[in-house]
Amino acid sequence: MAAVQWHSRARRYESELQSCGLEVAPVEFSDYHPLKSITVTDSKSRRGARKGSTSSSSSSSSSVAPDPLSSMLDGTDPLSMFAAASASESPLTLSQSSSTGDLGRGKRREKEDEVGVDFEPWSSKRGEILARFTTTEKLSINLFMGSEKGKAPSLASSSAVSEKVRTRLEELDDLEEGSQRELLNLSQQDYVNRIEELNQSLKEAWASDQKVKALKIVIQCSKLLSDTAVIQFYPSKFVLITDILDTFGRLVYERIWSMCSDPHYSPDSFTADEVNDTAKETCLNWFFKIASIRELIPRLYVEVALLKCNRFLTKCGIQETVPRLTAMIRGIGDPLVAVYARAYLCRIGMEVAPHLKDSLNKNFFDLLGTFRQIHGDSVQNQLVLQRVEIPVYLTLYSPAIHWILQCVSYRAPEALLTEMMERCKKLGNNALLLNSVMWAFRAEFIATRATDFIGMIKDCDEAGFPKHLLFGSLGRSLACADPPEAERLPILNEAWKVITKVRSPQDYINCAEIWVEFTCRHFTKREVNTVLSDIIKHMTPDRAFEDAYPQLQSVIRKILTYFHDFSVLFSMERFLPFMDMFQKDSVRVGVCLSIMDVFIKHQQEPTRDPVILNALLHVCKTMHDSVNALTLEDEKRSLALLINGFIRMVSFGRDFEQQLSFCVEARATFCNLEPVLVQLIHTVNQLAMETRRVMRGSHSRKTAAFVRACAAYSFITIPSLTSIFSRLNLYLLSGQVALANQCLSQADAFLKAAVSVLPEVPRSISIEGKLRSSEGFLLDFINNFLSALLVVPDHPEAGVLFLVRGLLNMVQDYTWEDNSDAKVHVYISALPLLAAMSQESYLYSIPKVDSNETLYGGDPKFLAEINKLCETLIGQVLDHLKTLGRDESVHRQGSLAFSLFGCLLAHGDLRNNKLNQLAVNLWNLSHKQGYCNTRTSVRTLEFIKHQAQQPDMAYLSDMLHRLTLQSRT
């Protein structure tokens, strides 16, 4: 210890900064400019040189900067190269080129006929239908599965035509006259499960080459579609059965395709001429079997399922078959069964031949002719028998009619849509059909004729189909397309006259929720406020709002979509009373989250509007109060993120006291969310700095008092934080803010509090749910703390360097991890601070704050205290190095020795022989075992050599000769 004598090197910070700057080289701007184009000379051997010729080079000069991507490709696009190579290898004759052009045009026409992504697929409607059309009544399944008389022969195994026909008829007779299997008293879920089992049985039968059994399953399932015993469930039954039909159609198509000889063709891009005889024979066998089915409905559905297979037979097979199937549906007497059969034909038709528009249109016009059957005696008797009201019965048609109209109206010309609309009028404005038209037709078509549709709705019979449902469908279209501006207010008035008269709260809110978007889109807060008032009037009695939370949430979302000015939003008298209807905690919090999310995204300027602040404080308090012991950390972070965004958008300008009062209120309101408290402390610190900047030179006493109030706010709030490092960092930050505002006693209090908290740092902390060592975080904080202490003046009653000594004492007493060098790293990090404190002028300072450089003025006693403390620290480091040597921890020893060497080189006065020799010894120790990074060592020697060239540091030359590089062998 006595052998070490520390003397800090005198520093000239300004001259050092200048010496570290980049050298400035004079440049003639007439000769050089960074944006000036560069001349590039490219020398390369000629391509295409004759064999045996001497190589020659061509030099080209260009004033254009070379494109690295173009140069890689030699200026040629790879696709163009490929096309050019193809053209050169196989040149086309004129006739070939012409045929290729025809083929390309044909392909374009085919693409135009394909269904695009703008067509809503059936799969998106399937789940909605199953969820909507349910029943509590018992269901039944009647299956005639046929007797098993041995495995059926292959469909194409016989050679004689007569034998095939006889075998086919025997199988079909067996199919229809076999054993009966009846499942009665099934619940809806049991029914669904049985249908799924049949679907699986179909796949298993097909996989085991029991094709006839598979056909039997499909036929019997198709027969179920003629059963309307539980009529409310029919749409869902249709979805389940057609799933089986789709599976069967896919299996048959893939089976026939596998028989085609050329595997190079895609399953969807071939012609009938390219299909071999075996595949055609098999396909015909399937259609002959289907033709032998006696009952109309299963024969129709199975043939529709196999409609795509007509492609294997003739080019026009599908085109000829669809009209025939359309005509076959006319033989179905039940209008409900018939409309779903048409829907299935349209669905498969859109998948395999969407260009056959005439057949789709024919299905629609046939549908119009069957509407009179709905009011016939047979249907009415059936409804009486099943106790089903006519409005409920009519809704069963909606999915099928919606789908048919969607198919017909897809990319249809305006004239066709107008013709269809006129035909609907001739039916006496059938409400069911009108509703489907507004669902399926393009929104722009509906919007431009909105007034006409309102007239048609008025003429409809209220008893058959409620008018509010029709207005709901109209509202959906108007939410997507705008009607003429002059018609918008009359449209809203006519619609709301009907909506407000709806007695059922559920029906009312279902319709009102749709028209809220139209109101928000085209009108002001006055009209929206009126709508909200009407909703509150209808939904408050008997707490009807409790059954309509999804619709009420949708209303809020639509309002927030169109109203981003929260001063306008909260000036609506009925908005906050509307919010009061959300009395279920989870729903209320979700609505508050939506409001805050929109506020954070769209609020551009800070606000001090009391209406906004009071409303959003209430919203944020609702979010905060939802936090409990079961709340996940991710949820807490999400809530805190939104609340912090709100706090950052609150500004009272130069009314700093009002801003501080807001922070005090927010602290009491959001005390359970630690990230919010952290944000508030940051806000108050910023407020203190802003106050000093704005009020500089005026009302100094008042300003100082306010800054002290800010410091008191932080000092009171920080201890409530549970995160130890949040407390430490905020103590340090608040101390620096207090110091910058010349509040020395407050700064001392913060810094002493930070030192007192350090022993509480655990050895491991939880980060994102995982335990991690806290040592690295602690070292980072201590280094930041040390850098701040340079400008902190000593307290006159606390002694010299009291904060530095307190920190080092804490470091010495802290329980570090086993085999850790962290404590020694802190000691080494403290040496630069002490060296900086011994300078005549400090590296940085705070205006109007006298640091120790001014207080002590280079007093020898002060410098002696610094040197003594440095010697103590160096002694501690050397003792630790000896310990590492005994423990054979040579790698750690070398690393620490090199760190201390660097510190001595940068901050120690190496003119002192003992300190100089210590530095050499540390260098040798760090390189003794060869663990030191050679590249770092070389750069260090170069730095020393550079420094030794300076006049006042020539003494480094002698030391440089004693520093040698050693490598591990």
Side-chain angles (χ1 to χ4, degrees):
M1 287 285 297
V4 180
Q5 294 182 1
W6 173 268
H7 293 281
S8 299
R9 179 167 69 89
R11 306 290 294 274
R12 298 181 180 87
Y13 293 118
E14 292 184 1
S15 61
E16 289 182 19
L17 180 62
Q18 293 177 0
S19 65
C20 293
L22 297 176
E23 295 183 3
V24 179
V27 176
E28 293 293 336
F29 285 101
S30 59
D31 299 331
Y32 168 78
H33 190 274
L35 299 182
K36 185 178 180 181
S37 57
I38 303 172
T39 300
V40 180
T41 302
D42 182 21
S43 298
K44 55 186 178 181
S45 59
R46 290 177 182 164
R47 296 186 179 182
R50 293 189 302 271
K51 185 176 181 180
S53 64
T54 58
S55 62
S56 61
S57 63
S58 62
S59 300
S60 61
S61 297
S62 172
S63 62
V64 180
D67 179 8
L69 299 180
S70 299
S71 62
M72 289 295 293
L73 299 171
D74 196 26
T76 307
D77 177 24
L79 298 180
S80 301
M81 293 172 62
F82 178 78
S86 300
S88 62
E89 291 174 4
S90 55
L92 294 174
T93 62
L94 181 60
S95 60
Q96 287 174 318
S97 178
S98 176
S99 63
T100 303
D102 294 340
L103 179 61
R105 286 190 292 272
K107 289 290 186 182
R108 284 195 296 272
R109 284 195 299 270
E110 184 178 338
K111 283 290 184 183
E112 291 174 0
D113 290 335
E114 289 181 357
V115 176
V117 294
D118 55 337
F119 185 81
E120 186 179 5
W122 174 258
S123 57
S124 66
K125 301 176 180 293
R126 181 182 181 278
E128 179 186 351
I129 296 173
L130 291 174
R132 180 182 175 188
F133 297 97
T134 60
T135 183
T136 57
E137 296 186 27
K138 296 300 180 181
L139 303 165
S140 62
I141 298 178
N142 295 318
L143 297 177
F144 299 83
M145 295 306 297
S147 59
E148 297 293 341
K149 299 179 180 179
K151 183 176 178 180
S154 174
L155 294 177
S157 61
S158 303
S159 57
V161 176
S162 60
E163 184 178 351
K164 291 183 192 176
V165 174
R166 185 174 63 255
T167 302
R168 185 179 303 116
L169 293 175
E170 289 176 355
E171 290 170 351
L172 268 294
D173 289 339
D174 179 46
L175 180 78
E176 298 190 357
E177 298 174 2
S179 59
Q180 177 178 354
R181 182 185 177 193
E182 186 172 13
L183 301 174
L184 302 175
N185 297 323
L186 298 176
S187 66
Q188 177 180 317
Q189 188 58 49
D190 292 337
Y191 189 94
V192 173
N193 293 339
R194 295 296 183 272
I195 297 297
E196 293 294 336
E197 290 174 4
L198 288 171
N199 200 353
Q200 187 61 33
S201 299
L202 167 64
K203 297 176 183 178
E204 293 173 355
W206 191 271
S208 60
D209 205 29
Q210 299 182 55
K211 305 298 189 294
V212 175
K213 181 180 179 181
L215 179 59
K216 292 178 183 179
I217 295 174
V218 173
I219 294 174
Q220 295 305 314
C221 289
S222 301
K223 287 183 178 181
L224 298 176
L225 290 175
S226 62
D227 178 21
T228 57
V230 183
I231 201 167
Q232 304 98 313
F233 187 66
Y234 191 85
S236 294
K237 181 197 292 188
F238 170 80
V239 170
L240 297 172
I241 299 301
T242 52
D243 285 347
I244 296 178
L245 288 164
D246 293 342
T247 300
F248 180 70
R250 176 178 53 81
L251 292 173
V252 173
Y253 188 86
E254 292 175 353
R255 167 67 175 166
I256 300 173
W257 166 250
S258 66
M259 295 180 176
C260 293
S261 58
D262 193 343
H264 298 293
Y265 295 114
S266 168
D268 296 318
S269 59
F270 65 91
T271 63
D273 296 336
E274 297 163 347
V275 180
N276 59 33
D277 293 339
T278 302
K280 287 186 176 182
E281 181 76 12
T282 303
C283 185
L284 282 172
N285 283 343
W286 277 111
F287 282 115
F288 288 149
K289 275 191 172 294
I290 294 170
S292 302
I293 301 173
R294 297 175 182 175
E295 296 185 25
L296 171 62
I297 290 178
R299 183 170 72 251
L300 171 70
Y301 271 101
V302 177
E303 185 170 359
V304 173
L306 268 59
L307 181 63
K308 190 176 181 180
C309 294
N310 283 279
R311 297 185 59 188
F312 295 109
L313 301 178
T314 61
K315 181 179 179 180
C316 302
I318 296 177
Q319 186 174 354
E320 296 169 353
T321 303
V322 173
R324 177 174 57 80
L325 295 175
T326 301
M328 285 175 61
I329 298 176
R330 298 172 186 170
I332 301 177
D334 191 313
L336 183 64
V337 177
V339 74
Y340 276 95
R342 288 190 177 91
Y344 188 61
L345 177 57
C346 289
R347 178 160 79 83
I348 301 301
M350 286 295 289
E351 291 176 3
V352 302
H355 59 284
L356 299 180
K357 303 292 186 183
D358 292 340
S359 297
L360 295 174
N361 298 342
K362 189 63 176 175
N363 267 282
F364 171 72
F365 294 132
D366 283 355
L367 170 65
L368 296 183
T370 62
F371 268 102
R372 65 178 67 90
Q373 292 179 271
I374 296 177
H375 301 284
D377 292 339
S378 61
V379 173
Q380 296 299 320
N381 293 336
Q382 185 182 22
L383 297 183
V384 172
L385 184 63
Q386 297 194 36
R387 299 177 182 177
V388 176
E389 298 292 334
I390 188 67
V392 176
Y393 175 70
L394 291 178
T395 60
L396 302 178
Y397 286 80
S398 297
I401 299 178
H402 287 356
W403 180 260
I404 295 172
L405 283 171
Q406 178 183 332
C407 296
V408 171
S409 62
Y410 181 67
R411 295 179 180 175
E414 194 87 356
L416 177 61
L417 299 180
T418 304
E419 179 189 355
M420 294 169 64
M421 184 175 169
E422 292 300 324
R423 292 209 182 189
C424 293
K425 286 183 179 180
K426 293 179 181 179
L427 287 176
N429 290 319
N430 185 288
L432 173 61
L433 184 59
L434 183 61
N435 184 60
S436 296
V437 166
M438 290 186 290
W439 265 87
F441 280 22
R442 291 191 296 270
E444 295 78 10
F445 181 89
I446 303 297
T448 55
R449 299 164 176 78
T451 302
D452 294 338
F453 276 97
I454 288 178
M456 295 167 65
I457 292 173
K458 286 182 177 180
D459 295 337
C460 289
D461 183 9
E462 180 75 24
F465 201 92
K467 289 185 179 180
H468 70 268
L469 294 180
L470 297 175
F471 274 105
S473 300
L474 177 61
R476 286 188 183 90
S477 296
L478 298 184
C480 302
D482 300 333
E485 185 173 355
E487 300 177 9
R488 292 172 185 172
L489 185 58
I491 289 172
L492 179 61
N493 289 332
E494 290 295 335
W496 213 261
K497 286 178 185 178
V498 175
I499 297 171
T500 194
K501 294 178 181 179
V502 178
R503 294 183 179 181
S504 167
Q506 196 63 42
D507 291 341
Y508 168 83
I509 193 61
N510 285 338
C511 192
E513 174 257 329
I514 297 171
W515 280 88
V516 164
E517 182 164 4
F518 178 79
T519 309
C520 295
R521 185 170 177 151
H522 299 297
F523 300 99
T524 64
K525 69 173 186 178
R526 176 176 172 270
E527 288 78 11
V528 175
N529 190 63
T530 302
V531 170
L532 293 180
S533 178
D534 194 61
I535 294 176
I536 295 172
K537 176 183 175 182
H538 280 78
M539 303 307 295
T540 302
D542 300 325
R543 301 178 66 87
F545 54 79
E546 292 182 343
D547 298 322
Y549 283 139
Q551 294 88 340
L552 296 177
Q553 286 178 283
S554 177
V555 170
I556 289 289
R557 284 194 297 269
K558 290 174 180 177
I559 293 175
L560 293 174
T561 300
Y562 294 95
F563 287 85
H564 298 154
D565 187 343
F566 278 73
S567 61
V568 174
L569 184 67
F570 290 124
S571 64
M572 296 184 197
E573 296 179 0
R574 309 309 294 169
F575 184 79
L576 291 179
F578 184 89
M579 289 279 296
D580 291 337
M581 289 195 294
F582 296 100
Q583 297 189 8
K584 186 178 179 181
D585 291 342
S586 59
V587 176
R588 184 168 66 251
V589 172
V591 172
C592 293
L593 287 171
S594 300
I595 292 174
M596 292 309 303
D597 187 58
V598 172
F599 177 80
I600 299 302
K601 287 181 180 178
H602 298 284
Q603 185 70 21
Q604 301 295 328
E605 299 293 334
T607 182
R608 61 184 299 173
D609 188 329
V611 175
I612 295 178
L613 296 185
N614 290 333
L616 290 184
L617 267 177
H618 174 72
V619 170
C620 290
K621 185 178 186 303
T622 301
M623 294 161 50
H624 168 271
D625 293 346
S626 68
V627 175
N628 54 44
L630 300 178
T631 305
L632 299 176
E633 289 299 321
D634 286 345
E635 295 179 25
K636 291 182 181 179
R637 277 195 292 269
S638 299
L639 294 175
L641 189 64
L642 293 174
I643 296 175
N644 285 343
F646 164 60
I647 292 172
R648 285 192 290 268
M649 295 305 297
V650 175
S651 175
F652 289 88
R654 294 195 175 187
D655 191 349
F656 301 120
E657 294 182 356
Q658 186 65 28
Q659 186 87 31
L660 183 60
S661 298
F662 170 80
C663 291
V664 172
E665 182 182 358
R667 179 178 62 187
T669 304
F670 309 123
C671 57
N672 290 332
L673 287 174
E674 186 161 310
V676 178
L677 297 179
V678 172
Q679 176 63 45
L680 288 171
I681 295 171
H682 281 291
T683 301
V684 170
N685 282 325
Q686 293 172 2
L687 183 62
M689 296 301 295
E690 183 69 10
T691 303
R692 175 63 64 179
R693 184 186 67 81
V694 173
M695 304 298 291
R696 183 179 299 164
S698 62
H699 306 290
S700 58
R701 290 186 179 180
K702 184 177 180 180
T703 302
F706 180 80
V707 171
R708 287 194 293 272
C710 292
Y713 178 98
S714 299
F715 198 78
I716 293 172
T717 309
I718 292 175
S720 64
L721 304 178
T722 58
S723 171
I724 185 68
F725 283 104
S726 293
R727 278 187 280 159
L728 287 172
N729 290 319
L730 288 173
Y731 273 133
L732 177 57
L733 174 64
S734 301
Q736 292 171 317
V737 170
L739 194 64
N741 286 280
Q742 299 98 47
C743 297
L744 301 185
S745 60
Q746 283 78 11
D748 280 344
F750 281 117
L751 297 177
K752 285 192 286 187
V755 173
S756 66
V757 169
L758 282 173
E760 301 177 17
V761 176
R763 295 176 64 173
S764 60
I765 56 176
S766 177
I767 299 178
E768 295 182 354
K770 297 180 180 179
L771 283 179
R772 304 222 179 142
S773 172
S774 63
E775 192 172 275
F777 299 97
L778 181 56
L779 287 177
D780 288 343
F781 170 77
I782 292 176
N783 288 332
N784 291 334
F785 193 85
L786 288 170
S787 66
L789 291 182
L790 177 63
V791 293
V792 178
D794 283 341
H795 195 282
E797 299 177 359
V800 179
L801 304 176
F802 76 103
L803 283 174
V804 178
R805 294 180 186 275
L807 176 65
L808 293 175
N809 290 335
M810 185 286 307
V811 171
Q812 185 175 12
D813 297 336
Y814 184 77
T815 304
W816 298 93
E817 295 182 11
D818 298 335
N819 300 319
S820 171
D821 300 322
K823 179 168 67 174
V824 180
H825 280 296
V826 173
Y827 291 160
I828 296 175
S829 299
L831 291 175
L833 168 67
L834 295 171
M837 284 183 167
S838 64
Q839 304 300 316
E840 292 182 3
S841 298
Y842 284 2
L843 179 60
Y844 46 85
S845 60
I846 296 178
K848 298 183 180 181
V849 175
D850 293 332
S851 301
N852 285 338
E853 62 175 334
T854 304
L855 294 181
Y856 293 107
D859 190 331
K861 292 183 179 180
F862 176 66
L863 297 178
E865 287 290 335
I866 291 177
N867 293 339
K868 184 178 179 181
L869 186 54
C870 289
E871 292 167 4
T872 302
L873 294 176
I874 292 174
Q876 293 286 340
V877 176
L878 295 178
D879 290 342
H880 186 70
L881 290 175
K882 293 178 182 178
T883 303
L884 293 178
R886 289 192 297 269
D887 296 342
E888 297 184 356
S889 301
V890 291
H891 184 67
R892 291 165 55 197
Q893 184 189 51
S895 177
L896 284 173
F898 194 79
S899 295
L900 183 56
F901 168 80
C903 184
L904 296 181
L905 178 64
H907 303 286
D909 186 358
L910 296 183
R911 292 175 297 182
N912 182 287
N913 293 333
K914 292 185 178 181
L915 203 59
N916 190 302
Q917 184 60 46
L918 176 60
V920 174
N921 293 341
L922 289 170
W923 172 275
N924 294 332
L925 179 62
S926 64
H927 291 74
K928 182 178 180 181
Q929 303 296 333
Y931 283 104
C932 196
N933 186 290
T934 303
R935 185 177 181 182
T936 303
S937 300
V938 171
R939 294 181 64 183
T940 303
L941 291 175
E942 291 175 353
F943 170 77
I944 296 173
K945 184 178 179 180
H946 175 75
Q947 293 292 93
Q949 295 174 359
Q950 300 182 24
D952 57 342
M953 302 185 72
Y955 57 88
L956 291 178
S957 298
D958 296 334
M959 188 182 76
L960 183 62
H961 295 304
R962 293 184 288 164
L963 303 179
T964 59
L965 286 175
Q966 298 181 20
S967 60
R968 187 171 38 151
T969 58

